Each structure stands twice: as structure tokens, then as C-alpha cells.
Amino acid sequence: MPIPSPSLGLIGRVVAILLFATLVEFGMSTVLYERASQFSVRDDEGRRLAEHLVIARRLMAEHPREGREAMARSVSTAHYAMAWHTVAPPPSDPALSEMRAKVLAWEPVLQSSPLRMRLEPATTGSYVSGAAQLPDGSWLYFRTAEAIDSLDQSRNRILIALGIAGVVMTLGGGLIGRALRPMRLLASAADRFGTAEAAPLAEEGPTEVRRVITAFNRMQARIQQLITDRTQALAAVGHDIRTPLARLRLRAESIATEPVRDEILEDVAEMDAMVGSLLAFLGGEDDPEKPVLADLAVLCATLADDAADHGRAVTYVGPDHLEHVFRQLGVKRAVSNLVENGLHHGEHVILGLRREPDCVIVRVEDDGPGIPEDLLQSVLEPFVRLDTARRRDTLGLGLGLAIVCRAVELEKGKLTLSNRPEGGLCAEIRLPRPD
């Protein structure tokens, strides 16, 4: 069974951690830098404004009222625009309370009369404006000629800086992904381990990863050799056992006493079935058979007809033709085992076949005693025989359903067992259809 991939793999986690740490550090640094820059700009602006206000206020206070408008224009500079009015300005903006306090601290003479400061919106920031009251109650208005950065502009710069950092970290994550690519290949090789598709993995990547791959390749080679040795030994043992069984069958057929001959032949058949099931189950994970496009309906109908020719009640229900890509020998053995299992424990078997949008379903139903609900999964394990639910004269070692499971797994399908409401067992094979 394929190993499910986690929602966030090793590469993703490494990149996410690095990205998060970098963005936090870069973001905090940028915010602190922006704030420090703003404070520095406002400090310089406040000191220059305080000096200019002291001089301009003194000149305006000494000048006659009828000439103060012209005087205000004359004391304007490239940095400050000055004007004279008798109307009082709006109250101070709380956002400039700190800057106002510093202006008054730098030039204490300005504390003798009201000083109001505000922010005026501009296209690229805000102007600092306000007014200082003269001794006669009129007001000297001022406004900076250059706008200072607003909060939105600072936020935009921070977002741009974070975006650049994110792009850089994403590129770095891509490099990390390339460095850890052998780990993904190792996971895929481990998933294929024990099958005909298994092959040594290229030893590449960082030193630590190469060491893991080298160890994996050695382990795979050792286990593959053990499987090969076991398969060869089983084949030799099977041949050696079946040879005397064949001789015993021939000799038994020459026995004149019919009851004794039949009992001996039955025992020989049971031993032969045991050897066959053992060889099929313990033959290793190799899969020399390749999937081909074949008619599954013809296969199922042929199995049913063969059983009927031997006087056994097997009925095929399904289409005349249904082409599907599958391993013919493996699927035939699986369906045949299910049919034999149903006939051993019931009188009549229905072999059904149907096509669905995403899969092909083979269903084998019998009219036997069924299986207790709590044992439906246990019976799929090798060497398990539930004598309490089945007859005791069943041939084999309890490997029939285990062999079916293995054949279905090779097709990436699923085998499920359930009890029929009217009695008996239902075995269903779901074979996925190719996209």
C-alpha cells in the first residue's frame, strides 16, 4: 500500500520555519528602522522649525500690522511658507504632540504664547502646519514646504520589503528542495521495495542523505537475495514433494478396493492443494506478470462454466464482454479461490461482474453459513481457518483468502467481505479503472 504523504513534508517544514523566522526578524527590523527614521526626520524638522519660528515671530511682532502680510511672505523660505492672519487656527493634532513638546523644549521662548501644530494630507505624505500666536493676539501661520512620510507610506515600504524577503526565501526553499530531493526518491524506493519495480537508488545529495541511501541499497539487496533464495528453495521443495505425490496417485489408482482408493486419492489431492497454496503464498513479492488489456467478463464466465461442467452450482451474472487492464493469472486465481471458497461452504455461488465509473466490481456470493462480524477481518490473514463458521473438510491451509488479498493489492484494488442479509457470504473485489 502506498505511504500517504503528510500535509507538509520535510522540505515544506524547513522552508516554512526559515521563511517565518526571516520574515519576523526582517519585519521587526524594518518596523524599528522606519520608526527610528521617522523620529529622526521629525526631530530634525522640529529643531529647524523651532529656530525659524523664534526669528519669524520676533520680526512679525516688531512690524506694524498693516505690513505683516508682506513681512510674512518675506520671512518664508524654501522650507517654510509663512502667512499672517487674525483668525485662530484649529486645535493641535495629537499625532504631533511629541514634536510640539520638543519644539517648545528647544526654544523655551515659544512657551510664552500658544503654539498649535497639525498634519495636512499631501499626495506623498503629510505637511506639518500650524500657527504661533503673536503678542497682539494675531497668528503667524506656517507650513512645511516638503511632506513627511505618512503611516501608509511606511506600511507600504514594509510590505514591499517583506515581499522581497519572501521571494528570496522562496528561491532559497527551491534550493533546499533540490538538496533534499533524494529523500523523496528514497521514500518512493522504499514504497516499491519488495516488488519487481524495486531497483538500487542513485546515491546523490548531501553526505548524510547519501549515507542513508547507501545503507538502504545494501539492505534492499540483502532482503532481495533472501527472498530469491527462499523462492528457489520453495520451488525445489515443491517439485520434490509433488514427485512422490504423483507416484502415490498413480499407485492409488491401481488399488482394487474402491473406498480405500478414493480415500487415498482424496488425501493426495489435499496434500497437493496444500503444497500449491504454500507455493503461491510464499513465492515472494516478485510480480513477473504484467497487466494487459483483457476481457474480464469472459474470464469470469469461463470460471463459472468450468464449475458447472463439473456439476457445481455456479451462476455468472454480468455483461458478455468487459475489457479491463489487469494481470490475468493473478485475477483468475483470486476469483477462482473465492468461487472455491463459496462452494466449500455453500451449495450455490453467484459470480457477478459490473462496471462503475471509477472501478470494476467482481462479486462472489454464496449461500453458506457466513462469518461472524467480528471475524471478517481475521479470516483474511494467512493460515486462519474459522472452523466454527465453516465445515471441517475444507482443503488447504487457510491461505485462499490471503492469496486473494495479495492478488488484489497488486491490482491496487480492494477486497471486502460482508454477510448477506438473506444468509451467506459476499466477497467483493473493486478494481480501479485507469484514468
Side-chain angles (χ1 to χ4, degrees):
M1 295 295 292
I3 300 175
S5 302
S7 58
L8 191 62
L10 175 61
I11 297 175
R13 293 184 182 186
V14 171
V15 174
I17 292 173
L18 293 177
L19 181 60
F20 177 76
T22 302
L23 290 181
V24 170
E25 189 275 335
F26 192 80
M28 293 298 296
S29 300
T30 305
V31 170
L32 293 176
Y33 174 77
E34 287 289 334
R35 290 181 63 87
S37 298
Q38 290 182 3
F39 289 148
S40 177
V41 169
R42 292 193 177 184
D43 284 350
D44 293 342
E45 190 68 40
R47 187 181 297 276
R48 187 165 56 186
L49 176 61
E51 294 174 352
H52 192 80
L53 279 178
V54 169
I55 297 173
R57 183 174 177 275
R58 181 178 300 170
L59 291 175
M60 293 292 291
E62 296 174 352
H63 206 77
R65 292 174 66 91
E66 58 273 10
R68 286 182 178 177
E69 291 185 5
M71 175 59 69
R73 289 192 296 270
S74 67
V75 296
S76 298
T77 66
H79 297 290
Y80 301 103
M82 313 297 288
W84 177 78
H85 295 287
T86 58
V87 180
S92 293
D93 192 336
L96 293 178
S97 59
E98 186 174 354
M99 183 177 180
R100 180 178 177 278
K102 290 184 177 181
V103 169
L104 296 177
W106 284 322
E107 295 294 343
V109 69
L110 296 175
Q111 298 178 8
S112 59
S113 59
L115 174 64
R116 299 179 182 180
M117 298 177 64
R118 296 187 59 80
L119 286 174
E120 294 183 10
T123 305
T124 58
S126 299
Y127 294 111
V128 177
S129 65
Q133 192 176 38
L134 300 177
D136 62 353
S138 60
W139 293 84
L140 174 63
Y141 280 75
F142 62 87
R143 193 189 75 169
T144 57
E146 297 178 354
I148 63 174
D149 289 340
S150 64
L151 180 61
D152 290 337
Q153 287 182 306
S154 298
R155 184 185 299 112
N156 291 337
R157 283 202 299 269
I158 293 174
L159 292 177
I160 292 174
L162 291 178
I164 295 174
V167 171
V168 172
M169 284 303 304
T170 301
L171 295 177
L175 297 177
I176 295 176
R178 289 180 59 86
L180 295 181
R181 176 177 171 272
M183 294 298 292
R184 295 198 301 270
L185 298 179
L186 179 60
S188 300
D191 190 41
R192 296 191 305 269
F193 180 75
T195 68
E197 300 177 359
L201 190 61
E203 299 176 5
E204 58 183 11
T207 304
E208 295 78 5
V209 176
R210 290 201 305 270
R211 292 179 60 185
V212 173
I213 294 176
T214 301
F216 175 82
N217 286 336
R218 292 175 180 172
M219 178 193 69
Q220 180 175 244
R222 289 195 299 268
I223 296 178
Q224 289 285 15
Q225 186 60 46
L226 289 175
I227 293 176
T228 301
D229 294 344
R230 185 190 68 174
T231 303
Q232 293 175 350
L234 284 171
V237 170
H239 179 270
D240 292 343
I241 292 178
R242 277 177 165 165
T243 299
L245 283 177
R247 292 199 302 264
L248 185 59
R249 183 182 295 108
L250 291 175
R251 292 171 182 172
E253 290 177 350
S254 63
I255 297 176
T257 307
E258 184 174 349
V260 176
R261 182 181 66 241
D262 292 342
E263 289 180 1
I264 293 177
L265 289 176
E266 186 177 348
D267 290 339
V268 172
E270 183 175 357
M271 293 177 64
D272 190 60
M274 289 181 180
V275 173
S277 62
L278 276 173
L279 291 177
F281 182 75
L282 300 176
E285 297 284 348
D286 290 339
D287 180 27
E289 186 182 7
K290 300 300 180 183
V292 295
L293 181 63
D295 198 321
L296 185 57
V298 172
L299 184 149
C300 293
T302 301
L303 289 176
D305 292 341
D306 289 344
D309 292 342
H310 290 82
R312 313 176 82 178
V314 178
T315 303
Y316 170 70
V317 178
D320 294 333
H321 298 282
L322 196 160
E323 291 191 338
H324 185 70
V325 178
F326 63 99
R327 296 166 177 80
Q328 294 187 77
L329 294 179
V331 172
K332 181 178 180 180
R333 182 184 297 116
V335 178
S336 177
N337 281 6
L338 291 178
V339 171
E340 290 294 330
N341 188 70
L343 290 173
H344 278 308
H345 310 298
E347 301 297 333
H348 182 249
V349 170
I350 299 176
L351 174 56
L353 176 67
R354 74 174 188 270
R355 185 201 308 267
E356 291 195 353
D358 61 339
C359 67
V360 173
I361 298 179
V362 180
R363 185 191 297 265
V364 179
E365 300 174 298
D366 64 51
D367 56 358
I371 296 176
E373 294 292 335
D374 58 336
L375 299 178
L376 285 174
Q377 291 300 318
S378 300
V379 75
L380 298 177
E381 298 180 4
F383 305 105
V384 173
R385 294 179 60 181
L386 305 179
D387 291 339
T388 57
R390 299 302 202 185
R391 287 164 31 190
R392 293 180 177 271
D393 59 351
T394 302
L395 300 179
L397 296 172
L399 292 173
L401 291 177
I403 294 173
V404 175
C405 286
R406 178 170 295 176
V408 173
E409 287 179 358
L410 287 176
E411 301 296 328
K412 302 188 185 304
K414 182 179 181 181
L415 171 66
T416 56
L417 301 180
S418 61
N419 289 307
R420 303 171 63 199
E422 62 272 24
L425 184 69
C426 173
E428 184 177 274
I429 298 176
R430 302 179 73 92
L431 301 176
R433 297 178 60 186
D435 296 334

